[in-house]
Amino acid sequence: MTLPPQTTSARPTGVHATARITATSVGEATAVPVLAGDGPFDVRWNHPCGNQARVCIIGAMSAPSAATGCA
């Protein structure tokens, strides 16, 4: 399948954002030493699930969910 060529414009469109998440093993648990976001992303720690670290990425105009169960 051949995709049509991308068109470029002088002005970028849409929203651009970056989230940086680094996870490392610490014994039998997981640590998250790098957790950063820019643009409309907000990166937050969530309640752990056992020995697993959990994070969530939310939009700048959103709020995190109150759910604490393991998925």
Side-chain angles (χ1 to χ4, degrees):
M1 173 172 43
T2 305
L3 298 175
Q6 295 285 330
T7 59
T8 59
S9 64
R11 290 178 22 176
T13 59
V15 177
H16 300 275
T18 303
R20 289 183 40 220
I21 303 170
T22 302
T24 59
S25 176
V26 179
E28 293 190 22
T30 305
V32 184
V34 177
L35 189 61
D38 70 345
F41 282 170
D42 189 15
V43 187
R44 298 186 182 172
W45 277 280
N46 208 347
H47 296 280
C49 182
N51 61 356
Q52 298 177 354
R54 293 178 61 190
V55 298
C56 62
I57 301 173
I58 60 172
M61 301 303 289
S62 300
S65 68
T68 59
C70 297

